Amino acid sequence: MREFVETLYDSYGQLFRIDEMLFENRTAHQHLAIFHNAAFGRVLVLDGIVQTTEKDEFIYHEMLAHVPILAHGDARQVLIVGGGDGAMVREVACHRQIEQITQVEIDLRVIDLCRQHLPSHSNGAYDDSRVNVVIDDGLSFMQSTAQRFDVIISDSTDPIGPGEALFSGAFYAACKKRLNPGGILVTQNGVAFMQPSELATTARRLSNVFDDWHFYGAAIPTYVGGIMTFGWATDDPGLRHHSLALLRQRYAASGIQTRHYNPELHRAAFALPQHVLQIIGKASNEYRS
Ligand code: SAM
């Protein structure tokens, strides 16, 4: 029996039985494996770290796509950085008012292999004429593009290897320049309990660049150890304080079908535990009367 043990942490890791190995090899950028596991379905692993599974991916992708798009209210131009498995393109494409979806992914092999072995992730979204895929490093693209976006979604690997650039101050600064007024940047930011220094570093870097920044959370089973935090940055502080009535109205009007996201969760996701507020340096001011 073959097993996979995740190598994200030195002294702790989740173990999967490999019921069928579908692909395993190095790409030009990283080691890539896709296998089937009875509990989680097909699992994508990059450089020994679980990226996404068929069973629980909807929680991550719905929260990272629909929260900023519905908070914005009129997003037309959306950028996805990373996201080679295609599920973020799928979720963003559900929003009819979006005119253009640009995806900047460093590794074309991830897109191709996921379309082949993990087809439910993109679910045909790459055939949508609004989708434009650019194969490039996300930081270089952000620093050279003249395009502007209403929502930027950083659907990156962890800050190890090629993903490191997407957690840099230079990346956040470039994102700010490429956002339209009222635009929103959201980022994959790891599991707060397990990766507190990553969270603290991102909080510091976002606070250097954006007028309003915060994090919101969701528990995703295969990102083990409690809530994953998503970075949130914009020049409009009102965007994370919409009323439930407004979010309900936008959700209903969007017509999107969700399995995890709903307007109540949207609002609640911005309420963070004290220990997480301490990590991001907000426990003593914004949340005390
Ligand atoms: N949901 C996942 C998670 O939480 O770990 C992330 C999934 S997605 C597969 C991450 C993608 O980011 C990969 O396809 C990887 O190739 C891409 N990526 C990593 N570094 C990048 C960079 N500097 N520029 C663009 N894409 C990058």
Side-chain angles (χ1 to χ4, degrees), residues 30 44 46 50-51 60 81-85 104-107 110 136-138 155-157 162-163 166 188 223 228:
Q30 50 212 337
L44 169 67
L46 292 176
V50 174
Q51 300 295 305
Y60 172 89
V81 185
D85 53 72
V104 183
E105 162 62 56
I106 202 168
D107 193 341
V110 181
D136 196 358
D137 165 58
D155 181 10
S156 68
T157 49
L166 306 183
Q188 183 281 99
Y223 303 147
M228 166 167 270

Side-chain angles (χ1 to χ4, degrees), residues 130-150:
R130 297 171 299 167
V131 177
N132 174 35
V133 176
V134 179
I135 300 303
D136 196 358
D137 165 58
L139 174 59
S140 317
F141 174 85
M142 290 314 298
Q143 290 179 327
S144 56
T145 184
Q147 276 181 265
R148 283 188 177 271
F149 305 95
D150 301 307

Side-chain angles (χ1 to χ4, degrees), residues 45 122 135 164 260:
V45 175
S122 52
I135 300 303
E164 203 175 345
H260 183 82

